[in-house]
């Protein structure tokens, strides 16, 4: 890629005071966005020969540049990685994951014990965890068992005063069947709480380390209810995490400041400023110019240039992820198995890996990644076979093909940095077997809403694991419970598949669990509600002086230990 000397005008939005704009308001509906060419010259990474740092290091500000707006500031209703990255710095959970690992470690709960029958787990809470203060609210006590119960009652009790706030759609809670697993939550004493389970649940601790289980403040909610301003609860979030919410302007920034009262000690940097650049090229430009210290998901096309820049460093790891095409199995023609099989045979995955992912991915054949336990190695993937695809279409009654729509991602994601490029390659392949495809896209929040409502024919979608357990993929994305919870986008509900996933969840024997998951993947292959495409390598690019950063297997960036040297 050619290096072109060019000065950049960068707006940093780094003023001390930011106007707070409601994040939970519904976006104005927009018409589908027509795709633009991916090979246009303006999409190249434009860099300066010498980048001048735009951020005074003495300010101890850290600037992270991200690819999308947070869809909400409520972790209970959040469902995307960009939002998780923001709220994870604001809130804590009973348990957490060791940095850079899937190992569950204490957090708000300093210890826990499981009953012999696996149907009860008792958490002992720390006594030094305090919620943040706002301009008109200050907590009068440390976080305690009341807050834990209040958090889960919001999701499980329809009569709870916060239940319908933010739409009342608790996708993770429902998709993980937490409403069926948790029978009761009992306050043992002020700093001890017991979860009574309806059945043993092998992944319960890992699930409680996920963002939907972030603990919220009962005092703050009651304060806003008294003022009749409860809508502010999810607009101006109050957590107990290392950073305090300070401001948000849509499509521009989120600002967080250091919580000097954090129970593990203050973060290294005083302010965390998150700038929003939906265009990956713009993120890279702003990293090179000095406007960003670290960027999420650089384009694969830019990795070589970024690595060669002496002022930068690039880190990567195999993603715990899946990029796939979901078929709406409840809509013609994808309600026919032969059509879904035909599309699988029509797609040249190796070509997409080479030309769409620049080689930074591997072909997917299962709905879970190969670096996760439970992966079924014996599954035979669909071969690229246009002739076979035409035969299957003829068998399904579409000898002359058909016309359909394909929703693609206009914003880069960890599992799909260039949605349009991959979509264009697929359109070419599908045309060869008689399937004419119209490409459409939407702003990210609207895109997700349409996916949840299953308002599509074919859909680009992906997933990055939240807790290191296969259940987080197979149950959330493909079970019948996921259909109701809004995370099973294809709408495929196979009772045998869900039975196997359910059996795996109630045993802690890893060998038995693996067998159940392997059989479930056989069923997935036979019914083909998706076309699994790729497992990607995930990249982060940053300034050379960034220290203390570690990539997460879950694709969520955290900044508690990050500093500038």
């Amino acid at each position: 890629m050619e290096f072109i000397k060019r000065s950049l005008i960068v707006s940093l939005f780094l003023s001390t005071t930011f106007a707070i704009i409601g994040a939970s308001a519904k976006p104005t509906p927009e018409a589908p966005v027509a795709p633009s060419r991916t090979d246009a010259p303006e999409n190249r990474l434009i860099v300066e020969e010498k980048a001048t740092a735009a951020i005074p290091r003495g300010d101890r500000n850290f600037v992270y540049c991200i690819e999308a707006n947070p869809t909400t500031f409520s972790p209970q209703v959040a469902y995307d990685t960009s939002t998780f990255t923001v709220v994870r710095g604001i809130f804590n959970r009973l348990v957490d994951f060791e940095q850079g690992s899937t190992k569950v470690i204490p957090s708000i709960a300093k210890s826990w014990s499981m009953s012999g029958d696996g149907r009860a787990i008792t958490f002992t809470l720390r006594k030094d965890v305090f919620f943040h203060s706002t301009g008109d609210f200050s907590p009068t006590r440390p976080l305690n068992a009341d807050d834990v119960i209040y958090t889960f009652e919001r999701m499980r009790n329809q009569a709870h005063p916060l239940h319908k706030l933010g739409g009342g759609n608790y996708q993770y809670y429902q998709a993980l069947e937490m409403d069926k697993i948790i029978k009761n939550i009992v306050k043992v004493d002020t700093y001890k709480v017991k979860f009574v389970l309806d059945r043993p649940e092998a992944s319960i601790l890992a699930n409680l380390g996920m963002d939907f289980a972030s603990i919220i403040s009962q005092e703050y909610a009651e304060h806003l209810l008294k003022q009749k301003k409860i809508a502010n609860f999810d607009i101006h979030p109050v957590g107990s995490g290392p950073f305090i919410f300070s401001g948000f302007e849509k499509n521009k920034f989120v600002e967080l400041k250091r919580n000097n009262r954090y129970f593990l000690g203050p973060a290294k940097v005083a302010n965390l400023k998150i700038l929003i650049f939906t265009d990956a090229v713009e993120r890279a430009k702003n990293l090179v110019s000095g406007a960003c210290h670290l960027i999420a998901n650089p384009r694969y096309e830019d990795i070589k240039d970024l690595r060669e820049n002496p002022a930068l460093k690039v880190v990567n790891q195999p993603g715990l992820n899946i990029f796939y095409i979901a078929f709406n199995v409840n809509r013609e023609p994808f309600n026919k198995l032969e059509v879904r099989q035909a599309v699988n045979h029509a797609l040249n995955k190796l070509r997409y890996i080479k030309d769409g992912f620049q080689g930074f991915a591997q072909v997917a054949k299962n709905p879970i990644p190969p670096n996760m336990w439970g992966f079924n190695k014996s599954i035979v993937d669909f071969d690229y076979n246009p002739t076979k695809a035409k035969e299957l279409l003829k068998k399904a009654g579409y000898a002359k093909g058909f016309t359909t729509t394909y929703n693609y991602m206009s914003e880069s994601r960890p599992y799909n940095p260039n949605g349009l490029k991959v979509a264009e390659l697929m359109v070419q392949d599908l045309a060869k077997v008689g399937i004419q495809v119209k490409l459409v896209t939407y702003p990210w929040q609207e895109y997700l809403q349409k996916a949840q409502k299953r308002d599509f024919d074919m859909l680009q979608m992906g997933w990055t694991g939240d807790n290191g357990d296969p259940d987080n993929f197979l149950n959330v994305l493909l079970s019948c419970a996921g259909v109701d919870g809004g995370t099973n986008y294809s709408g495929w509900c196979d009772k045998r598949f869900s039975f196997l996933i359910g059996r795996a969840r109630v045993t802690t024997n890893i060998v038995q669990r693996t067998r159940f998951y392997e059989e479930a993947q056989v069923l997935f292959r036979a019914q083909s509600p998706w076309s699994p495409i790729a497992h990607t390598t995930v990249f982060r690019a940053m300034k050379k002086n960034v220290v203390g950063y570690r990539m997460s297997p879950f694709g969520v960036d955290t900044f508690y230990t990050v500093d500038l040297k």
Side-chain angles (χ1 to χ4, degrees):
M1 186 175 299
E2 179 185 2
F3 280 69
I4 301 177
K5 185 176 180 181
R6 178 178 295 187
S7 61
L8 300 172
I9 301 174
V10 182
S11 245
L12 297 179
F13 311 107
L14 302 181
S15 56
T16 303
T17 305
F18 291 96
I20 300 171
I21 296 181
S24 62
K26 294 182 179 179
T28 303
E30 299 183 32
V33 181
S36 58
R37 288 181 55 83
T38 58
D39 56 352
E42 60 268 23
N43 280 338
R44 294 178 299 172
L45 173 59
I46 308 299
V47 299
E48 295 176 320
E49 291 178 347
K50 293 183 179 180
T52 303
I55 303 162
R57 195 168 77 84
D59 287 352
R60 308 291 286 174
N61 294 330
F62 191 88
V63 181
Y64 172 61
C65 292
I66 199 168
E67 72 273 24
N69 288 286
T71 54
T72 177
F73 288 107
S74 168
Q76 274 78 43
V77 299
Y79 46 75
D80 67 294
T81 304
S82 299
T83 301
F84 293 149
T85 289
V86 174
V87 299
R88 183 152 289 216
I90 300 172
F91 293 89
N92 293 110
R93 293 140 298 283
L94 289 168
V95 297
D96 209 338
F97 297 99
E98 187 175 69
Q99 190 176 23
S101 168
T102 60
K103 180 182 177 182
V104 176
I105 60 174
S107 182
I108 291 172
K110 63 181 182 179
S111 64
W112 55 86
S113 61
M114 183 78 74
S115 64
D117 63 359
R119 293 176 180 269
I121 181 167
T122 302
F123 293 94
T124 300
L125 311 182
R126 298 178 63 115
K127 298 180 180 180
D128 58 349
V129 181
F130 288 88
F131 284 106
H132 307 152
S133 298
T134 69
D136 64 349
F137 167 77
S138 294
T140 64
R141 57 167 176 78
L143 183 154
N144 64 28
D146 292 330
D147 299 300
V148 175
I149 294 171
Y150 195 83
T151 295
F152 286 89
E153 284 298 301
R154 173 183 180 174
M155 294 181 281
R156 67 196 295 260
N157 182 1
Q158 294 186 13
H160 191 278
L162 269 60
H163 181 78
K164 295 182 179 179
L165 189 64
N169 186 11
Y170 302 99
Q171 292 185 43
Y172 272 89
Y173 188 82
Q174 294 167 348
L176 292 169
E177 299 185 44
M178 299 297 282
D179 53 336
K180 298 177 182 177
I181 297 167
I182 299 174
K183 187 176 183 180
N184 197 12
I185 306 177
V186 179
K187 180 180 178 180
V188 179
D189 62 38
T190 304
Y191 295 101
K192 189 172 289 187
V193 61
K194 178 189 290 187
F195 283 66
V196 181
L197 309 182
D198 191 63
R199 64 178 190 241
E201 178 67 21
S203 58
I204 185 67
L205 277 176
N207 289 347
L208 292 176
M210 293 166 58
D211 291 277
F212 81 91
S214 298
I215 305 304
I216 60 178
S217 169
Q218 180 178 4
E219 273 196 306
Y220 181 51
E222 291 175 347
H223 166 76
L224 292 176
L225 285 166
K226 186 177 180 179
Q227 291 189 333
K228 298 183 179 180
K229 295 180 179 179
I230 194 57
N232 288 346
F233 191 85
D234 288 347
I235 295 174
H236 191 132
V238 165
S240 59
F243 293 100
I244 299 170
F245 177 82
S246 182
F248 169 59
E249 185 170 344
K250 189 175 181 180
N251 297 324
K252 293 185 178 179
F253 61 76
V254 180
E255 186 184 53
L256 309 177
K257 63 182 180 181
R258 180 169 57 201
N259 175 15
N260 290 317
R261 207 179 185 186
Y262 187 51
F263 62 89
L264 294 178
K268 304 292 185 182
V269 295
N271 298 289
L272 173 60
K273 301 173 188 293
I274 301 173
L275 301 183
I276 301 160
F277 295 101
T278 59
D279 188 306
V281 175
E282 288 302 310
R283 287 198 301 279
K285 287 180 181 179
N286 280 279
L287 174 67
V288 172
S289 74
C292 309
H293 289 118
L294 188 151
I295 63 171
N297 306 319
R299 291 194 317 167
Y300 289 145
E301 295 92 331
D302 297 334
I303 296 300
K304 183 177 183 292
D305 286 338
L306 294 172
R307 280 176 166 165
E308 292 176 351
N309 189 316
L312 306 177
K313 57 184 175 182
V314 178
V315 296
N316 64 275
Q317 66 182 15
L320 197 69
N321 63 31
I322 176 71
F323 170 60
Y324 63 93
I325 304 302
F327 306 118
N328 188 338
V329 302
N330 297 309
R331 180 184 289 184
E332 292 184 357
F334 297 105
N335 59 338
K336 293 188 176 183
L337 174 60
E338 293 87 357
V339 171
R340 303 196 298 270
Q341 292 173 330
V343 172
N344 270 285
H345 279 298
L347 298 179
N348 188 348
K349 296 181 187 179
L350 287 174
R351 181 185 177 213
Y352 312 149
I353 299 300
K354 178 179 179 291
D355 297 335
F357 295 92
Q358 307 297 307
F360 294 118
Q362 59 181 306
V363 167
K365 64 179 182 179
N366 291 333
I368 65 174
N371 55 344
M372 172 174 277
W373 66 270
F375 180 85
N376 191 333
K377 297 179 181 178
S378 67
I379 296 290
V380 177
D381 195 14
F382 289 92
D383 62 323
Y384 172 57
N385 192 333
T387 301
K388 180 67 173 177
K390 291 178 181 178
E391 291 173 358
L392 287 164
L393 288 174
K394 183 177 180 180
K395 184 179 178 181
Y398 295 95
K400 296 183 179 180
F402 58 87
T403 300
T404 190
T405 59
Y406 176 123
N407 290 22
Y408 76 91
M409 299 174 177
S410 60
E411 298 175 6
S412 63
R413 310 304 298 171
Y415 42 77
N416 182 23
N418 195 336
L420 176 57
K421 177 66 174 178
V422 174
E424 289 174 336
L425 294 172
M426 290 183 178
V427 167
Q428 294 170 12
D429 286 339
L430 292 171
K432 294 175 184 177
V433 300
I435 301 175
Q436 304 303 315
V437 177
K438 178 184 178 182
L439 291 179
V440 293
T441 194
Y442 303 88
W444 181 236
Q445 187 168 357
E446 188 177 354
Y447 187 94
L448 290 174
Q449 290 170 346
K450 287 184 174 292
Q452 290 153 15
K453 295 175 182 177
R454 287 183 280 281
D455 184 11
F456 64 88
D457 295 325
M458 299 172 63
L459 173 80
Q460 277 189 2
M461 190 47 72
W463 188 258
T464 300
D466 296 293
N467 62 15
D469 196 293
D471 181 78
N472 183 241
F473 283 77
L474 300 174
N475 183 42
V476 173
L477 301 179
L478 289 162
S479 70
C480 296
V483 175
D484 296 333
T487 53
N488 180 340
Y489 300 114
S490 71
W492 178 66
C493 175
D494 185 280
K495 292 183 179 180
R496 176 64 182 172
F497 180 94
S498 292
F499 170 78
L500 291 167
I501 300 305
R503 287 290 302 276
R505 298 176 68 186
V506 298
T507 178
T508 57
N509 185 306
I510 194 75
V511 175
Q512 290 181 358
R513 292 190 76 198
T514 297
R515 288 172 182 163
F516 289 131
Y517 289 141
E518 287 180 343
E519 184 179 346
Q521 289 166 77
V522 172
L523 288 174
F524 168 85
R525 167 63 172 79
Q527 292 296 313
S528 302
W530 301 351
S531 179
I533 303 297
H535 307 289
T536 64
T537 300
V538 180
F539 288 87
R540 294 291 185 268
M542 65 198 78
K543 288 294 186 183
K544 212 75 170 225
N545 65 332
V546 174
V547 295
Y549 171 80
R550 289 190 66 183
M551 294 187 75
S552 165
F554 310 130
V556 176
D557 290 320
T558 58
F559 301 95
Y560 172 60
T561 60
V562 169
D563 201 357
L564 300 170
K565 66 178 181 180

